[in-house]
Amino acid sequence: RFSVKTLIDRSCFETIDDSSPEFNNFAAILEQILSHRLKGQISWFGYESPRSFWDYIRVACRKVSPSCICSIESMENVGSSRAKGRAWIRVALMEKHLSEYISTALRDFKTTRRFYEDGAIVLGEEANMLAGMLLGLNAIDFSFCLKGEGLDGSFPAVIDYTPYLKFTQSSDSISSDEEELRTLGSSGSEGSTPETIGPPFITDENSWYNKCKRVEQKYRLALEQKGYLEELVRLRENQLSESVSQNKLLLQRIEDMHLAHKMEKEQLEYIIVELQDQL
Protein backbone atom coordinates (compact mmCIF):
# COMPACT_ATOMS: atom_id res chain seq x y z
CA ARG A 1 0.00 0.00 0.00
CA PHE A 2 2.81 2.39 0.87
CA SER A 3 4.63 1.72 -2.41
CA VAL A 4 1.48 2.22 -4.49
CA LYS A 5 0.66 5.45 -2.63
CA THR A 6 4.17 6.88 -3.06
CA LEU A 7 4.11 5.90 -6.74
CA ILE A 8 0.81 7.70 -7.29
CA ASP A 9 2.03 10.76 -5.39
CA ARG A 10 5.24 10.90 -7.46
CA SER A 11 3.28 10.63 -10.73
CA CYS A 12 1.64 13.99 -9.96
CA PHE A 13 5.00 15.74 -10.38
CA GLU A 14 6.96 13.75 -12.96
CA THR A 15 6.74 10.91 -15.46
CA ILE A 16 7.41 7.49 -13.97
CA ASP A 17 10.19 5.52 -15.67
CA ASP A 18 13.04 3.17 -14.72
CA SER A 19 14.98 6.00 -13.07
CA SER A 20 12.24 6.57 -10.48
CA PRO A 21 13.18 5.07 -7.09
CA GLU A 22 9.48 4.76 -6.23
CA PHE A 23 8.90 2.49 -9.24
CA ASN A 24 12.02 0.41 -8.59
CA ASN A 25 10.83 -0.19 -5.05
CA PHE A 26 7.32 -1.05 -6.21
CA ALA A 27 8.64 -3.51 -8.83
CA ALA A 28 10.90 -5.14 -6.23
CA ILE A 29 7.98 -5.52 -3.77
CA LEU A 30 5.68 -7.01 -6.42
CA GLU A 31 8.42 -9.39 -7.54
CA GLN A 32 9.02 -10.50 -3.94
CA ILE A 33 5.28 -11.08 -3.45
CA LEU A 34 4.98 -13.17 -6.61
CA SER A 35 8.18 -15.10 -5.76
CA HIS A 36 7.24 -15.88 -2.15
CA ARG A 37 7.33 -19.68 -1.54
CA LEU A 38 7.37 -20.42 -5.27
CA LYS A 39 7.87 -24.13 -5.93
CA GLY A 40 10.81 -25.36 -7.98
CA GLN A 41 10.47 -27.47 -11.09
CA ILE A 42 11.18 -31.19 -10.68
CA SER A 43 13.26 -32.66 -13.51
CA TRP A 44 13.25 -36.24 -14.81
CA PHE A 45 16.17 -37.13 -12.54
CA GLY A 46 14.39 -35.88 -9.41
CA TYR A 47 16.37 -32.66 -9.10
CA GLU A 48 14.57 -29.41 -8.30
CA SER A 49 15.49 -26.41 -10.44
CA PRO A 50 14.45 -22.89 -9.35
CA ARG A 51 11.54 -21.14 -11.02
CA SER A 52 10.68 -17.51 -11.64
CA PHE A 53 7.29 -15.88 -11.13
CA TRP A 54 7.15 -15.46 -14.92
CA ASP A 55 6.61 -19.21 -15.26
CA TYR A 56 3.45 -18.84 -13.15
CA ILE A 57 2.19 -15.68 -14.89
CA ARG A 58 2.69 -17.20 -18.34
CA VAL A 59 0.42 -20.14 -17.47
CA ALA A 60 -2.14 -18.43 -15.21
CA CYS A 61 -2.70 -15.39 -17.48
CA ARG A 62 -3.09 -17.22 -20.78
CA LYS A 63 -6.83 -16.34 -20.82
CA VAL A 64 -6.25 -12.56 -20.65
CA SER A 65 -7.15 -10.84 -23.90
CA PRO A 66 -5.42 -8.86 -25.30
CA SER A 67 -2.24 -10.31 -23.83
CA CYS A 68 1.41 -9.22 -24.01
CA ILE A 69 2.78 -12.63 -22.98
CA CYS A 70 3.51 -13.80 -26.54
CA SER A 71 5.33 -10.57 -27.41
CA ILE A 72 7.47 -10.83 -24.26
CA GLU A 73 8.33 -14.44 -25.04
CA SER A 74 9.61 -13.38 -28.49
CA MET A 75 11.75 -10.47 -27.21
CA GLU A 76 15.36 -10.98 -28.32
CA ASN A 77 17.10 -8.85 -25.69
CA VAL A 78 15.30 -10.60 -22.78
CA GLY A 79 16.77 -14.02 -22.15
CA SER A 80 16.25 -15.22 -18.58
CA SER A 81 12.90 -16.03 -17.02
CA ARG A 82 13.30 -13.38 -14.32
CA ALA A 83 14.07 -10.71 -16.93
CA LYS A 84 10.91 -11.67 -18.83
CA GLY A 85 8.91 -11.29 -15.64
CA ARG A 86 10.32 -7.81 -15.09
CA ALA A 87 9.54 -6.89 -18.69
CA TRP A 88 5.98 -8.13 -18.16
CA ILE A 89 5.52 -5.83 -15.14
CA ARG A 90 6.59 -2.82 -17.20
CA VAL A 91 4.50 -3.70 -20.26
CA ALA A 92 1.43 -4.44 -18.14
CA LEU A 93 1.77 -1.06 -16.40
CA MET A 94 2.11 0.77 -19.71
CA GLU A 95 -0.94 -1.08 -21.05
CA LYS A 96 -2.81 -0.38 -17.74
CA HIS A 97 -3.68 -4.08 -17.37
CA LEU A 98 -1.52 -5.13 -14.40
CA SER A 99 -4.50 -5.38 -12.04
CA GLU A 100 -6.38 -7.48 -14.60
CA TYR A 101 -3.43 -9.87 -15.00
CA ILE A 102 -3.07 -10.33 -11.24
CA SER A 103 -6.80 -10.84 -10.63
CA THR A 104 -7.02 -13.37 -13.48
CA ALA A 105 -4.02 -15.30 -12.15
CA LEU A 106 -5.37 -15.38 -8.59
CA ARG A 107 -8.79 -16.59 -9.78
CA ASP A 108 -7.09 -19.62 -11.32
CA PHE A 109 -6.65 -21.20 -7.89
CA LYS A 110 -5.75 -24.63 -9.30
CA THR A 111 -2.74 -23.26 -11.19
CA THR A 112 -1.75 -21.05 -8.26
CA ARG A 113 -1.86 -24.03 -5.93
CA ARG A 114 0.31 -26.00 -8.34
CA PHE A 115 3.03 -23.34 -8.46
CA TYR A 116 3.15 -22.21 -4.79
CA GLU A 117 3.72 -23.90 -1.45
CA ASP A 118 1.51 -23.56 1.61
CA GLY A 119 1.90 -20.20 3.33
CA ALA A 120 2.59 -18.25 0.13
CA ILE A 121 1.25 -14.71 0.00
CA VAL A 122 -0.72 -15.35 -3.21
CA LEU A 123 -2.54 -18.22 -1.45
CA GLY A 124 -3.50 -16.11 1.57
CA GLU A 125 -6.49 -13.91 2.21
CA GLU A 126 -4.51 -10.71 1.65
CA ALA A 127 -3.94 -11.72 -1.98
CA ASN A 128 -7.56 -10.78 -2.77
CA MET A 129 -6.75 -7.15 -1.94
CA LEU A 130 -3.70 -7.07 -4.22
CA ALA A 131 -5.60 -6.57 -7.48
CA GLY A 132 -7.72 -3.83 -5.89
CA MET A 133 -4.63 -1.94 -4.71
CA LEU A 134 -3.03 -2.19 -8.16
CA LEU A 135 -6.17 -0.79 -9.80
CA GLY A 136 -5.16 2.76 -8.82
CA LEU A 137 -2.03 2.49 -11.01
CA ASN A 138 -4.20 2.58 -14.15
CA ALA A 139 -4.41 6.36 -13.74
CA ILE A 140 -0.62 6.73 -14.23
CA ASP A 141 1.04 7.05 -17.63
CA PHE A 142 4.25 4.98 -17.40
CA SER A 143 7.17 5.22 -19.79
CA PHE A 144 9.75 2.41 -19.76
CA CYS A 145 12.65 1.37 -21.95
CA LEU A 146 12.58 -2.41 -22.35
CA LYS A 147 16.32 -2.50 -23.05
CA GLY A 148 17.48 -0.91 -19.80
CA GLU A 149 19.38 -2.25 -16.81
CA GLY A 150 16.14 -2.88 -14.93
CA LEU A 151 15.53 -6.00 -17.01
CA ASP A 152 18.79 -7.63 -15.98
CA GLY A 153 17.70 -10.92 -14.44
CA SER A 154 21.04 -11.59 -12.74
CA PHE A 155 20.40 -9.13 -9.91
CA PRO A 156 17.86 -9.98 -7.18
CA ALA A 157 15.00 -7.63 -6.32
CA VAL A 158 15.99 -5.62 -3.23
CA ILE A 159 13.35 -3.65 -1.31
CA ASP A 160 14.39 -0.31 0.16
CA TYR A 161 12.47 0.12 3.44
CA THR A 162 13.93 3.56 4.19
CA PRO A 163 11.03 5.62 2.68
CA TYR A 164 8.53 3.74 4.88
CA LEU A 165 10.33 4.15 8.21
CA LYS A 166 8.64 7.47 8.96
CA PHE A 167 4.90 7.83 8.45
CA THR A 168 3.19 11.12 9.24
CA GLN A 169 -0.55 11.62 9.46
CA SER A 170 -1.89 13.64 6.55
CA SER A 171 -3.74 16.91 7.03
CA ASP A 172 -6.95 15.38 5.57
CA SER A 173 -7.07 12.64 8.15
CA ILE A 174 -6.33 15.11 10.96
CA SER A 175 -9.15 17.41 9.82
CA SER A 176 -11.55 14.47 9.57
CA ASP A 177 -10.70 13.49 13.14
CA GLU A 178 -11.36 17.04 14.32
CA GLU A 179 -14.65 17.15 12.38
CA GLU A 180 -15.70 13.87 13.96
CA LEU A 181 -14.95 15.27 17.40
CA ARG A 182 -17.00 18.40 16.62
CA THR A 183 -19.88 16.19 15.45
CA LEU A 184 -19.75 14.24 18.69
CA GLY A 185 -19.73 17.47 20.65
CA SER A 186 -22.67 18.98 18.74
CA SER A 187 -24.75 15.80 19.02
CA GLY A 188 -24.09 15.69 22.73
CA SER A 189 -25.06 19.36 23.21
CA GLU A 190 -28.30 19.03 21.20
CA GLY A 191 -29.54 16.14 23.31
CA SER A 192 -28.73 17.87 26.61
CA THR A 193 -30.69 20.30 28.73
CA PRO A 194 -29.35 23.51 30.23
CA GLU A 195 -29.65 22.10 33.75
CA THR A 196 -27.30 19.15 33.11
CA ILE A 197 -23.59 19.39 32.67
CA GLY A 198 -22.98 15.69 31.89
CA PRO A 199 -22.79 15.67 28.04
CA PRO A 200 -20.16 18.41 27.70
CA PHE A 201 -18.06 16.56 30.22
CA ILE A 202 -18.50 13.33 28.23
CA THR A 203 -17.58 15.12 25.01
CA ASP A 204 -14.49 16.51 26.61
CA GLU A 205 -13.69 13.06 27.94
CA ASN A 206 -14.07 11.58 24.42
CA SER A 207 -11.78 14.21 22.94
CA TRP A 208 -9.12 13.50 25.54
CA TYR A 209 -9.54 9.78 24.94
CA ASN A 210 -9.03 10.23 21.17
CA LYS A 211 -5.99 12.42 21.79
CA CYS A 212 -4.53 9.79 24.09
CA LYS A 213 -5.16 7.08 21.48
CA ARG A 214 -3.36 9.14 18.80
CA VAL A 215 -0.43 9.77 21.14
CA GLU A 216 -0.31 6.06 21.95
CA GLN A 217 -0.31 5.16 18.24
CA LYS A 218 2.50 7.63 17.57
CA TYR A 219 4.45 6.19 20.50
CA ARG A 220 4.04 2.62 19.23
CA LEU A 221 5.03 3.67 15.71
CA ALA A 222 8.12 5.46 17.01
CA LEU A 223 8.95 2.41 19.15
CA GLU A 224 8.72 0.09 16.12
CA GLN A 225 10.88 2.43 14.04
CA LYS A 226 13.40 2.61 16.88
CA GLY A 227 13.52 -1.19 17.08
CA TYR A 228 14.00 -1.46 13.32
CA LEU A 229 16.80 1.11 13.33
CA GLU A 230 18.48 -0.62 16.29
CA GLU A 231 18.33 -3.90 14.38
CA LEU A 232 19.94 -2.19 11.37
CA VAL A 233 22.68 -0.79 13.62
CA ARG A 234 23.35 -4.23 15.09
CA LEU A 235 23.48 -5.72 11.61
CA ARG A 236 25.96 -3.06 10.43
CA GLU A 237 28.08 -3.56 13.56
CA ASN A 238 28.23 -7.31 12.91
CA GLN A 239 29.18 -6.68 9.29
CA LEU A 240 31.83 -4.19 10.41
CA SER A 241 33.31 -6.64 12.94
CA GLU A 242 33.40 -9.37 10.28
CA SER A 243 35.10 -6.98 7.86
CA VAL A 244 37.67 -6.03 10.51
CA SER A 245 38.44 -9.69 11.26
CA GLN A 246 38.73 -10.49 7.55
CA ASN A 247 41.02 -7.48 7.12
CA LYS A 248 43.25 -8.76 9.94
CA LEU A 249 43.41 -12.19 8.34
CA LEU A 250 44.31 -10.67 4.98
CA LEU A 251 47.03 -8.53 6.56
CA GLN A 252 48.43 -11.57 8.36
CA ARG A 253 48.37 -13.54 5.12
CA ILE A 254 50.16 -10.74 3.27
CA GLU A 255 52.78 -10.56 6.01
CA ASP A 256 53.32 -14.34 5.88
CA MET A 257 53.63 -14.23 2.10
CA HIS A 258 56.11 -11.35 2.36
CA LEU A 259 58.17 -13.32 4.88
CA ALA A 260 58.08 -16.46 2.72
CA HIS A 261 59.10 -14.39 -0.31
CA LYS A 262 61.99 -12.91 1.64
CA MET A 263 63.23 -16.35 2.76
CA GLU A 264 62.91 -17.71 -0.76
CA LYS A 265 64.87 -14.74 -2.09
CA GLU A 266 67.66 -15.37 0.44
CA GLN A 267 67.80 -19.04 -0.51
CA LEU A 268 68.05 -18.18 -4.20
CA GLU A 269 70.82 -15.68 -3.48
CA TYR A 270 72.68 -18.35 -1.51
CA ILE A 271 72.29 -20.81 -4.40
CA ILE A 272 73.61 -18.20 -6.85
CA VAL A 273 76.67 -17.64 -4.67
CA GLU A 274 77.35 -21.39 -4.53
CA LEU A 275 76.98 -21.71 -8.31
CA GLN A 276 79.40 -18.80 -8.81
CA ASP A 277 81.92 -20.49 -6.52
CA GLN A 278 81.60 -23.71 -8.50
CA LEU A 279 82.10 -21.87 -11.77
Side-chain angles (χ1 to χ4, degrees), residues 102-122:
I102 296 296
S103 60
T104 303
L106 294 180
R107 281 198 301 268
D108 191 355
F109 188 75
K110 185 178 180 180
T111 302
T112 306
R113 192 75 182 175
R114 181 161 56 92
F115 274 85
Y116 289 91
E117 300 176 356
D118 292 336
I121 295 178
V122 295

Side-chain angles (χ1 to χ4, degrees), residues 181 184-185 188 197-214:
L181 291 177
L184 288 173
I197 58 173
F201 176 74
I202 294 175
T203 302
D204 186 61
E205 189 179 62
N206 288 333
S207 65
W208 279 108
Y209 175 77
N210 290 324
K211 289 180 180 178
C212 290
K213 290 293 289 182
R214 285 201 296 270

Side-chain angles (χ1 to χ4, degrees), residues 89-137:
I89 292 176
R90 287 160 172 78
V91 173
L93 285 172
M94 288 190 291
E95 293 180 350
K96 304 184 187 298
H97 290 323
L98 181 61
S99 176
E100 182 182 355
Y101 279 109
I102 296 296
S103 60
T104 303
L106 294 180
R107 281 198 301 268
D108 191 355
F109 188 75
K110 185 178 180 180
T111 302
T112 306
R113 192 75 182 175
R114 181 161 56 92
F115 274 85
Y116 289 91
E117 300 176 356
D118 292 336
I121 295 178
V122 295
L123 293 175
E125 297 179 356
E126 61 270 18
N128 298 324
M129 300 182 292
L130 184 60
M133 287 186 287
L134 297 177
L135 196 61
L137 298 178

Side-chain angles (χ1 to χ4, degrees), residues 15-272:
T15 304
I16 303 298
D17 54 14
D18 285 298
S19 63
S20 174
E22 287 81 8
F23 166 74
N24 292 325
N25 220 24
F26 165 78
I29 293 171
L30 182 60
E31 184 174 338
Q32 293 282 2
I33 290 175
L34 295 176
S35 302
H36 182 243
R37 299 188 68 84
L38 185 66
K39 291 181 181 179
Q41 187 173 9
I42 306 299
S43 62
W44 286 96
F45 301 101
Y47 296 107
E48 183 177 353
S49 58
R51 266 179 176 157
S52 170
F53 69 94
W54 169 248
D55 301 321
Y56 162 68
I57 293 296
R58 182 181 55 189
V59 177
C61 296
R62 61 184 181 275
K63 297 180 181 180
V64 177
S65 180
S67 176
C68 64
I69 293 178
C70 294
S71 60
I72 292 176
E73 283 285 358
S74 60
M75 291 177 65
E76 297 180 355
N77 62 311
V78 181
S80 64
S81 180
R82 180 184 291 179
K84 290 179 180 178
R86 293 174 177 177
W88 165 77
I89 292 176
R90 287 160 172 78
V91 173
L93 285 172
M94 288 190 291
E95 293 180 350
K96 304 184 187 298
H97 290 323
L98 181 61
S99 176
E100 182 182 355
Y101 279 109
I102 296 296
S103 60
T104 303
L106 294 180
R107 281 198 301 268
D108 191 355
F109 188 75
K110 185 178 180 180
T111 302
T112 306
R113 192 75 182 175
R114 181 161 56 92
F115 274 85
Y116 289 91
E117 300 176 356
D118 292 336
I121 295 178
V122 295
L123 293 175
E125 297 179 356
E126 61 270 18
N128 298 324
M129 300 182 292
L130 184 60
M133 287 186 287
L134 297 177
L135 196 61
L137 298 178
N138 293 345
I140 304 177
D141 293 327
F142 293 93
S143 177
F144 300 115
C145 177
L146 298 181
K147 297 181 180 180
E149 297 179 355
L151 299 182
D152 191 356
S154 60
F155 295 100
V158 180
I159 303 175
D160 181 15
Y161 290 96
T162 307
Y164 315 126
L165 283 176
K166 184 178 180 181
F167 175 72
T168 56
Q169 191 177 16
S170 63
S171 58
D172 295 335
S173 60
I174 294 175
S175 61
S176 63
D177 292 340
E178 293 175 351
E179 185 177 354
E180 183 180 355
L181 291 177
R182 285 197 298 269
T183 305
L184 288 173
S186 61
S187 61
S189 61
E190 288 174 359
S192 62
T193 58
E195 291 80 12
T196 58
I197 58 173
F201 176 74
I202 294 175
T203 302
D204 186 61
E205 189 179 62
N206 288 333
S207 65
W208 279 108
Y209 175 77
N210 290 324
K211 289 180 180 178
C212 290
K213 290 293 289 182
R214 285 201 296 270
V215 171
E216 183 181 1
Q217 290 176 356
K218 290 181 180 180
Y219 170 73
R220 289 181 178 177
L221 183 63
L223 190 63
E224 292 176 358
Q225 294 174 354
K226 176 176 175 291
Y228 178 75
L229 291 174
E230 288 178 349
E231 184 67 25
L232 282 180
V233 170
R234 283 194 294 268
L235 179 63
R236 296 296 181 265
E237 287 179 349
N238 292 334
Q239 292 176 348
L240 181 61
S241 60
E242 291 178 0
S243 300
V244 170
S245 61
Q246 291 179 359
N247 189 27
K248 288 182 179 179
L249 290 175
L250 289 175
L251 290 175
Q252 183 66 33
R253 188 179 301 175
I254 291 174
E255 187 176 354
D256 294 342
M257 291 177 64
H258 181 70
L259 182 61
H261 175 70
K262 184 178 180 181
M263 293 178 62
E264 185 179 359
K265 183 180 178 181
E266 290 178 354
Q267 289 178 358
L268 290 175
E269 289 179 350
Y270 180 74
I271 291 174
I272 291 173

